[in-house]
């Protein structure tokens, strides 16, 4: 699955480049080349590293009180995929075991999510002076809009 998703990622990146490169600045173009010339997908066999990362992130978040931290920890789930900001590695991590379908169906679901995650590499609006929740909604909205258009 990892090999297939990396192959699809290159195909999607080529299409993104053809469609959007004229809107990218030099830093984004350099980053694009780095992504294109490496494998950007990792298919994880377990989710322990993700869970540990999230636990540490929640426990170290000074904007949350203890009640909020407990609530976040109790509601912690593993997503089907996440982007490179979680581990700061510029890789898209997939957790296909979170999907209860057969392998071929899991692969189709992951391919559908792949474009969305690739757009996250390039759609990172400047953060406004408002709460992080709103910034997250703005980013997700822009990524979703571009993914649907793509």
């Amino acid at each position: 699955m990892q090999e297939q998703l990396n192959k699809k990622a290159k195909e999607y990146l080529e299409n993104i480049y053809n469609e959007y490169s004229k809107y990218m600045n030099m830093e984004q173009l350099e980053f694009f080349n780095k992504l294109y010339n490496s494998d950007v997908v990792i298919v994880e066999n377990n989710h322990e590293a993700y869970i540990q990362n999230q636990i540490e992130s929640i426990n170290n978040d000074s904007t949350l009180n203890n009640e909020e931290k407990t609530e976040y920890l109790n509601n912690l789930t593993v997503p089907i995929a996440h982007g490179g900001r979680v581990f700061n590695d510029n890789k898209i991590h997939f957790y296909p075991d979170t999907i209860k379908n057969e392998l071929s169906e899991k692969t189709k679901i992951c391919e559908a999510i792949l474009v969305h995650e690739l757009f996250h590499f390039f759609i990172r609006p400047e953060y406004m002076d408002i709460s992080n929740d709103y910034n997250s909604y703005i980013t997700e909205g822009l990524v979703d809009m571009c993914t649907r258009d793509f």
Side-chain angles (χ1 to χ4, degrees):
M1 181 187 287
Q2 183 169 308
E3 186 177 316
Q4 186 172 344
L5 289 172
N6 273 303
K7 184 178 177 183
K8 273 296 200 193
K10 285 205 184 308
E11 179 183 316
Y12 291 151
L13 282 168
E14 285 175 9
N15 292 335
I16 290 170
Y17 181 84
N18 291 335
E19 184 73 24
Y20 296 100
S21 64
K22 61 186 169 218
Y23 305 110
M24 293 181 189
N25 62 34
M26 189 57 70
E27 184 179 324
Q28 289 171 316
L29 291 170
E30 288 173 7
F31 184 66
F32 172 87
N33 285 329
K34 190 183 292 186
L35 288 176
Y36 186 79
N37 291 311
S38 66
D39 286 339
V40 296
V41 173
I42 296 175
V43 174
E44 300 285 0
N45 293 323
N46 71 57
H47 53 267
E48 285 304 312
Y50 175 80
I51 293 291
Q52 279 307 115
N53 178 279
Q54 295 305 295
I55 290 170
E56 288 175 27
S57 178
I58 292 166
N59 284 331
N60 294 329
D61 190 337
S62 62
T63 66
L64 300 174
N65 63 39
N66 286 337
E67 258 180 47
E68 292 169 321
K69 288 179 182 183
T70 300
E71 183 179 342
Y72 280 118
L73 290 169
N74 288 338
N75 293 316
L76 195 56
T77 59
V78 178
I80 295 172
H82 64 74
R85 291 184 184 183
V86 172
F87 294 130
N88 292 316
D89 62 357
N90 292 323
K91 304 286 182 193
I92 300 168
H93 295 255
F94 282 92
Y95 302 89
D97 290 343
T98 61
I99 306 169
K100 296 185 183 341
N101 302 39
E102 296 296 317
L103 181 60
S104 63
E105 200 58 31
K106 287 181 183 189
T107 303
K108 287 180 187 176
I109 293 168
C110 291
E111 282 182 17
I113 294 169
L114 181 58
V115 173
H116 177 93
E117 291 302 329
L118 287 169
F119 271 113
H120 268 295
F121 284 125
F122 302 103
I123 299 174
R124 297 178 177 184
E126 290 296 319
Y127 285 93
M128 299 177 286
D129 191 18
I130 54 178
S131 83
N132 284 336
D133 287 341
Y134 290 115
N135 288 321
S136 177
Y137 295 143
I138 291 167
T139 301
E140 284 302 321
L142 289 170
V143 167
D144 186 59
M145 183 181 70
C146 288
T147 301
R148 290 172 187 265
D149 181 54
F150 184 78

